[in-house]
Amino acid sequence: MSKSFKRFRSHRVDEPTRVKYRETFLTTNDFILPIFLVDGKNISREIHSMPGVYHYSVDALIHNLSDLVCNGLRSVLLFSVPQEKKIEQAYSESGIIQKSIPLIKKEFPGLEIITDVCICSYTEDGHCHVGDNDKTCEILADIALSHARAGANIVAPSDMMDGRVYYIKEKLIKNNYHDTLILSYAAKYASRFYGPFREAANCSPAKGDRRTYQMDYSNSIEALAEIAADLEEGADQIMIKPAMCYLDIIAKAKMKFKVLIVAYNVSGEYLMIKNSISNKINPPDIAWEVLTAIKRAGADRIVTYFVPDIIRGLL
Ligand code: PBG
């Protein structure tokens, strides 16, 4: 019997051969490390819901970032966790983010600083708005401007109000911050995978949930419409969040838009994987499989809490 078939296994015989035929590679350039900043001095407190992730005061952060920056960390995403819940603090010159950026920049001039622009850690009820959509956009624009003034390279609105990119872009341009980029969380889903983060950022909604502003996880066409709208309003890069269950959205966005796509491998995804590693259900390199899949789907950059483990060679 003469039968011909393809010999794929010859591409897999050993590691050098597999590397030769590999299509997707991760490098430290791909990663953005989320950081939770608190007020105070010498604070480095592990977050109960997120093993391996810390609340840092800026001095302790700088101390702990040194080896990561020396070994390839290129970019951080800053969140602030204020003690007092006062909205004015979110755009105050003396806010946590505004005070910390110059100190971080001084120590690590080449490190890219992205800031989360949202009010959910500053509102009494833990929501990302003040009731009115457009009034919230005005506040978000003030926050973004205050971050730009402090030296942020990129501002990242994560609130999902309509029109916030428009408000922020206009404010930045009016104040001559032409080089401060906007990374909009364009397709952010109302997800149960944010649970551990809400403890980290102290921003659980006191009442209700975020489904009146974050997207319904059943939808994908709407995600493309959200991305198109944000690009029209002036977004420079777009975020898709969460990542693991949303690879289809990443892939569709990649096909449709010529824009840098960032995917957020969120806290609940991190915790699931981290727990399975700690409990010896899975080996550490399971994280590598997940992150590679996110890049393979089309993400240009990935926000992930695994960055320290990656750079320190623990995965
Ligand atoms: C809040 C915000 C959230 C996350 C990033 N910014 C939580 C939420 O929307 O409820 C989640 C990040 C994570 O889970 O790692 N604007």
Side-chain angles (χ1 to χ4, degrees):
M1 185 174 72
S2 81
K3 200 161 192 180
S4 117
F5 48 83
K6 286 223 187 292
R7 299 265 175 199
F8 288 107
R9 291 187 58 198
S10 61
H11 291 183
R12 300 168 196 154
V13 286
D14 54 23
E15 189 57 10
T17 310
R18 287 191 290 272
V19 170
K20 195 158 63 204
Y21 290 107
R22 197 157 283 157
E23 298 174 28
T24 308
F25 289 91
L26 292 171
T27 76
T28 49
N29 288 336
D30 298 322
F31 298 117
I32 299 168
L33 172 65
I35 285 170
F36 298 100
L37 277 169
V38 295
D39 253 330
K41 264 201 155 55
N42 203 17
I43 296 169
S44 157
R45 214 173 28 228
E46 193 167 23
I47 296 162
H48 180 252
S49 60
M50 299 178 70
V53 182
Y54 291 77
H55 281 137
Y56 284 124
S57 54
V58 67
D59 57 331
L61 171 74
I62 287 171
H63 182 74
N64 279 283
L65 276 187
S66 284
D67 76 304
L68 297 178
V69 175
C70 283
N71 290 297
L73 176 67
R74 306 260 185 267
S75 189
V76 291
L77 170 60
L78 302 181
F79 292 93
S80 53
V81 191
Q83 251 154 11
E84 262 189 306
K85 292 197 172 280
K86 278 200 188 135
I87 289 189
E88 309 79 57
Q89 275 305 305
Y91 49 83
S92 156
E93 259 175 49
S94 59
I96 301 173
I97 298 285
Q98 294 82 348
K99 275 189 313 190
S100 300
I101 294 175
L103 301 173
I104 301 170
K105 288 227 111 148
K106 186 159 172 252
E107 200 65 26
F108 311 114
L111 185 67
E112 179 180 71
I113 298 192
I114 310 174
T115 57
D116 181 77
V117 174
C118 195
I119 56 172
C120 61
S121 294
Y122 293 87
T123 50
E124 290 286 350
D125 64 5
H127 278 289
C128 309
H129 58 73
V130 290
D132 181 68
N133 182 92
D134 300 13
K135 178 88 195 55
T136 307
C137 290
E138 283 170 23
I139 297 171
L140 294 166
D142 286 339
I143 299 172
L145 178 61
S146 74
H147 291 178
R149 282 195 171 123
N153 302 102
I154 304 179
V155 291
S158 66
D159 50 283
M160 288 298 278
M161 295 300 110
D162 292 325
R164 85 269 211 232
V165 175
Y166 170 84
Y167 276 81
I168 291 172
K169 194 75 180 181
E170 201 178 62
K171 191 112 203 179
L172 291 177
I173 301 276
K174 231 184 223 158
N175 288 275
N176 277 320
Y177 286 95
H178 298 274
D179 295 329
T180 310
L181 302 181
I182 300 178
L183 161 58
S184 77
Y185 287 65
K188 177 172 176 179
Y189 286 87
S191 169
R192 292 296 189 208
F193 284 94
Y194 304 149
F197 174 95
R198 295 192 179 160
E199 184 190 318
N202 188 19
C203 69
S204 288
K207 252 206 251 145
D209 53 42
R210 303 206 202 286
R211 283 181 294 175
T212 63
Y213 40 106
Q214 298 178 351
M215 285 184 54
D216 187 322
Y217 57 67
S218 320
N219 298 350
S220 73
I221 294 168
E222 191 188 8
L224 301 178
E226 281 274 10
I227 295 168
D230 281 7
L231 291 176
E232 209 163 289
E233 289 173 26
D236 300 285
Q237 311 176 357
I238 59 111
M239 177 97 83
I240 293 168
K241 175 181 174 181
M244 272 170 73
C245 297
Y246 298 83
L247 298 181
D248 58 326
I249 308 296
I250 296 172
K252 282 180 187 160
K254 182 71 172 187
M255 302 281 264
K256 196 167 166 71
F257 300 102
K258 297 282 163 283
V259 63
L260 191 123
I261 296 177
V262 184
Y264 200 138
N265 177 220
V266 300
S267 58
E269 301 173 327
Y270 170 78
L271 186 64
M272 264 190 340
I273 298 166
K274 196 80 175 174
N275 279 345
S276 80
I277 296 170
S278 312
N279 295 328
K280 302 206 179 333
I281 295 164
N282 286 311
D285 65 4
I286 187 177
W288 213 246
E289 182 178 335
V290 169
L291 296 168
T292 303
I294 295 170
K295 185 165 183 189
R296 194 191 62 228
D300 298 291
R301 303 180 81 193
I302 305 170
V303 182
T304 176
Y305 303 97
F306 280 111
V307 179
D309 286 353
I310 292 166
I311 291 181
R312 292 178 179 138
L314 302 175
L315 297 182

